[in-house]
Amino acid sequence: YNNNGSPLQLHISFYATDEQKRKMEAALRNAAIKFCKFGFTAYGLAIGLTDMTLGRLLKRMPQLLDTFFGILTENGALTSEYCPVCGNPFGESKKQCTIDGYTIYIDAECVDNINAVIEAENKDFNEAPNHYLRGFLGALIGGLAGAVVAIVLYAVGFISSIAAVVSVVFGTFLYKKFHGKPNKMMLVIVAATTVVCMALSVFLIYLTASGIAAQQEGLNISAMEAFKIVMADSEVSRAFYADLAMVLLFSAIGIGIQIAYTARAIKRQGTIK
């Protein structure tokens, strides 16, 4: 469930079995509610709503709420008098919690049990080995893949952030595949590796072009020697640094977008309060 783009977001708390939730989902989809996104959570149903105008959305709200509550009730959702986690009636241990910005009432014992699981999982994660070297190898392979994409795009006349995105996505995937711990250091390693590989792609393009030009002129020199010669020309030098700056700029854009998404994805769950 993704509520991006939905100006009105609400959460209906209730307890229901998995089978009941499957029936609710089918009924909600059959209702074909316009401009509506929804998804079940561990505590009920999260809903995102929008419309052409805010006025139209507000006008639809009474009917929408009738539809939502009607479908939930028809398919066995328990009322607010029951804990959405365990399904038992609330006693004196009812506790108000804030989860993902929503206010949800949960039985205090369930809160303690949930927090115990979260704390145990976070403890295991923190104590797990980092495997930085293994993770770096994965990030390096991803970075090289991005460099290849950058070289191909440059050869056809494009400089784009796509290559950096490929590098970050593939590098992050392989970092975790090689058993590197998905934490903040992973983001730093993948981002740094991507920047280096993108810069390397520009150098390789000019190095190869210099070697080819030297051969065409009948010069028996290495590609590196040819590169040094052409870089002595102010026009070529300016073009090289301009291309390098553009590649790094587009890489920064691609890295920023993908890292922001990845950072949200790997964020550890905190305890319920």
Side-chain angles (χ1 to χ4, degrees):
Y1 164 69
N2 186 342
N3 60 16
N4 291 337
S6 301
L8 180 59
Q9 300 163 24
L10 60 142
H11 185 277
I12 303 174
S13 300
F14 62 87
Y15 176 84
T17 64
D18 291 340
E19 179 60 28
Q20 289 171 332
K21 288 181 179 179
R22 281 191 286 270
K23 292 179 180 178
M24 293 172 190
E25 180 177 7
L28 287 168
R29 295 196 183 283
N30 289 336
I33 303 171
K34 293 182 179 180
F35 309 114
C36 174
K37 298 178 181 179
F38 68 88
F40 288 94
T41 71
Y43 315 100
L45 178 70
I47 303 168
L49 297 168
T50 188
D51 209 320
M52 301 300 293
T53 66
L54 180 59
R56 288 184 56 175
L57 177 57
L58 293 175
K59 189 176 181 179
R60 293 171 57 210
M61 280 304 297
Q63 181 181 354
L64 289 172
L65 292 176
D66 287 342
T67 300
F68 291 132
F69 282 103
I71 289 175
L72 297 179
T73 302
E74 289 171 6
N75 289 279
L78 298 183
T79 67
S80 59
E81 297 177 359
Y82 296 83
C83 173
V85 176
C86 65
N88 294 326
F90 280 124
E92 297 180 357
S93 59
K94 183 178 181 180
K95 185 173 182 179
Q96 178 178 309
C97 304
T98 300
I99 304 173
D100 296 331
Y102 300 114
T103 298
I104 299 174
Y105 289 94
I106 305 175
D107 184 86
E109 185 176 349
C110 289
V111 173
D112 292 339
N113 292 337
I114 292 170
N115 285 340
V117 172
I118 293 173
E119 289 171 353
E121 290 177 347
N122 288 341
K123 183 174 182 293
D124 290 342
F125 178 82
N126 292 331
E127 293 178 352
N130 291 300
H131 293 312
Y132 288 138
L133 180 58
R134 293 184 187 180
F136 168 71
L137 292 176
L140 180 59
I141 295 173
L144 294 176
V148 171
V149 173
I151 291 171
V152 172
L153 290 176
Y154 188 89
V156 295
F158 290 99
I159 296 178
S160 166
S161 61
I162 294 175
V165 172
V166 169
S167 176
V168 173
V169 172
F170 196 36
T172 300
F173 171 77
L174 290 179
Y175 189 100
K176 293 185 287 187
K177 202 71 175 176
F178 286 17
H179 303 294
K181 185 187 291 187
N183 54 13
K184 292 180 180 179
M185 186 55 68
M186 177 190 74
L187 302 181
V188 173
I189 291 174
V190 171
T193 304
T194 294
V195 170
V196 171
C197 287
M198 293 300 101
L200 180 63
S201 69
V202 178
F203 171 72
L204 291 176
I205 290 168
Y206 275 79
L207 180 67
T208 303
S210 299
I212 293 174
Q215 288 181 352
Q216 291 175 343
E217 293 295 326
L219 299 176
N220 187 24
I221 58 176
S222 67
M224 180 59 72
E225 291 173 320
F227 175 74
K228 292 178 180 178
I229 292 173
V230 298
M231 284 298 288
D233 183 282
S234 59
E235 185 176 346
V236 175
S237 178
R238 282 196 300 271
F240 171 80
Y241 287 114
D243 285 340
L244 179 61
M246 287 295 290
V247 165
L248 292 179
L249 173 62
F250 279 100
S251 296
I253 295 172
I255 290 170
I257 294 173
Q258 193 59 38
I259 289 297
Y261 170 80
T262 305
R264 291 194 299 270
I266 66 173
K267 184 178 180 181
R268 302 298 301 176
Q269 182 181 0
T271 54
I272 299 174
K273 298 180 180 179

